[in-house]
Amino acid sequence: MDLIAVRTFVVVVDEGQFQDAAVQLSVTQQAVSKRIAALERHLGVRLFTRTPRGAQLTIDGQAFLPHARALLRAAERAAASVRPGHRALRVDVIGRRLSTAGLLRDFHRARPGIDLDVVTLFDAEEAVAAVLAGTIDATFRTVATPGRRLPEGIAATPVLDERLHLFTGPAHPFAGAASVTPARLAGHRIWMPGNVPGAEWTAYYDAFAAAFGLTIDAIGPNFGLEDLLDTIAGSVNVATLLSEQTPLVWPVGHDLRRVPLTDPTPVYPHSLLWRADNPHPALVALRDHLAAAYPGPPGPGTWTPTRASGREPAGPARPGAVTTGPSAAPGHGGPDGPA
C-alpha cells in the first residue's frame, strides 16, 4: 500500500477540502486527486464523496480512517527505530553476571537517557561475526591471544583488566594465605567445569596453566557457579579461579576465601570491539565513558597470554585509542560467570 497516498487521504480528512490538503502537502490539487483515486483503486472502494461543503467520507472511508492513522503511526515508529540516535544500542556482554555487564550498568547509570539492548552471545566468533554483520553494535571480548587477528573493519580498545583470585573453602591448604603465586598451584586441583572446548575463556586458562605448570580440571557437568562454590566450600583440596570483580553471594556457612594471586598476578584483559564504520552516536558515548573509566594497562608484575609470548597485549597504550591487533578466544567462565 502506498503510504504517500494513505497520508494524503488522512490530510484530506483533517483539512476537509482537497484544495486545502494540497496546500498542506505542498502539491497541486490534481496530485491530491490522483493519489486518492489510486488508493481507491487499490482498495476497491470509494473513500470520499464531493459535496458543496467539501470532501465527505463514505462509509468505507470512515471504516478505513482509523486503520490509515494507525498505519502512519506504525510507519513513523519503524523509521524512528533505525533513525540515528533513536535505535537502542545493542551490546553483547557474554554473561549478565560478569564484570563486563557491570561496565554496561555503570554506563546506563551515567547516561540513563540512552536506550540499551543487552544480549549475551556465548561464542567469540559468533559475537565478532555479529558485529561485522551489524546485528549488534559492540561486544566485550578479549584480544589477548597471539597468532590471531581481528577481522578487517573491527576496532577494539581495552576497557578492563581483571585480576584473578584463588577461591577456596576454609579447609583448603591455601585458605589462610595472604596471597599465592601461580607456580604454587601446581599439583593442586583447580576445578573449572565451565571451561568448554573452544570457549575464549578456556583458551585463556589453558595458556595460564601451560605458563605455570598447572593442571586445570574441567571434567564434570557444569551446574553453574552456585554449585561450584557449594563443592569448594566443603572440600579440602578443590579450588577454582575467579575474578576479584565477580559479583558473588554465598551462604555465611560456606566461609569461602578469596586469595589474591601474585608474583605475577594473572590479569584477564577485556576490550570493547565494534565495527569501525558504525555511526551510532550512543556507541561514541559508550566508548568515551569506558575510556574515561579505564585506568590504563596493567603494570609490571602481571601476566597475560601475550606477555607470556613476549608481546604486548593487543590494544592501545592509552585509553580510548583504537586498534585492530591480535584477536583471541580467552575469556572468563561462561554465562554464569568465570568458573
Side-chain angles (χ1 to χ4, degrees):
M1 187 175 296
D2 185 352
L3 287 178
I4 295 177
V6 174
R7 184 169 288 106
T8 301
F9 164 75
V10 171
V11 173
V12 171
V13 173
D14 292 341
E15 296 297 325
Q17 298 278 353
F18 276 52
Q19 182 176 357
D20 293 342
V23 173
Q24 181 69 22
L25 294 168
S26 299
V27 298
T28 65
Q29 183 174 339
Q30 184 181 21
V32 171
S33 297
K34 287 183 176 181
R35 291 176 186 178
I36 297 300
L39 182 61
E40 290 177 329
R41 285 195 299 272
H42 176 79
L43 296 173
V45 297
R46 290 188 63 192
L47 298 172
F48 292 104
T49 57
R50 303 271 190 137
T51 72
R53 291 178 293 178
Q56 300 293 316
L57 284 171
T58 64
I59 294 177
D60 290 320
Q62 293 174 28
F64 180 64
L65 179 59
H67 301 289
R69 294 192 189 278
L71 185 61
L72 294 179
R73 288 194 295 270
E76 176 56 31
R77 288 194 299 270
S81 70
V82 294
R83 191 173 295 138
H86 289 74
R87 177 179 61 79
L89 186 70
R90 198 172 203 206
V91 183
D92 163 46
V93 295
I94 308 179
R96 298 182 189 277
R97 297 180 58 186
L98 298 183
S99 56
T100 50
L103 292 178
L104 203 57
R105 283 194 296 270
D106 290 343
F107 172 68
H108 176 64
R109 293 186 184 108
R111 302 290 297 273
I114 293 179
D115 289 332
L116 294 175
D117 183 6
V118 183
V119 301
T120 54
L121 300 178
F122 185 80
D123 182 74
E125 300 298 332
E126 177 189 3
V128 172
V131 172
L132 276 175
T135 55
I136 62 174
D137 293 296
T139 181
F140 289 97
R141 297 286 163 173
T142 180
V143 288
T145 297
R148 300 180 66 189
R149 299 192 67 83
L150 292 172
E152 184 177 353
I154 296 292
T157 190
V159 295
L160 177 65
D161 297 296
E162 289 192 274
R163 298 170 184 265
L164 295 185
H165 283 183
L166 183 72
F167 266 61
T168 77
H172 192 276
F174 292 137
S179 65
V180 176
T181 65
R184 291 183 64 195
L185 299 181
H188 292 269
R189 186 185 179 197
I190 308 299
W191 190 40
M192 307 185 78
N195 286 14
V196 296
E200 59 179 290
W201 52 88
T202 301
Y204 174 90
Y205 286 112
D206 285 349
F208 175 68
F212 297 100
L214 315 180
T215 299
I216 292 180
D217 180 7
I219 297 174
N222 179 18
F223 290 111
L225 187 57
E226 286 78 9
D227 179 74
L228 174 66
L229 296 182
D230 287 346
T231 301
I232 289 172
S235 175
V236 298
N237 58 10
V238 178
T240 195
L241 299 173
L242 293 172
S243 160
E244 66 177 340
Q245 293 171 275
T246 301
L248 295 174
V249 177
W250 58 78
V252 175
H254 277 14
D255 194 21
L256 291 170
R257 313 295 176 84
R258 293 179 184 251
V259 182
L261 296 175
T262 57
D263 300 322
T265 297
V267 169
Y268 191 93
H270 296 279
S271 291
L272 183 74
L273 280 62
W274 71 94
R275 185 164 166 160
D277 61 357
N278 187 329
H280 201 304
L283 179 59
V284 177
L286 174 61
R287 284 160 34 202
D288 289 346
H289 172 86
L290 294 172
Y294 183 59
T302 59
W303 177 93
T304 64
T306 46
R307 284 204 175 91
S309 68
R311 299 175 59 181
E312 285 302 309
R318 65 187 189 282
V322 174
T323 181
T324 54
S327 179
H332 165 132
D336 288 331

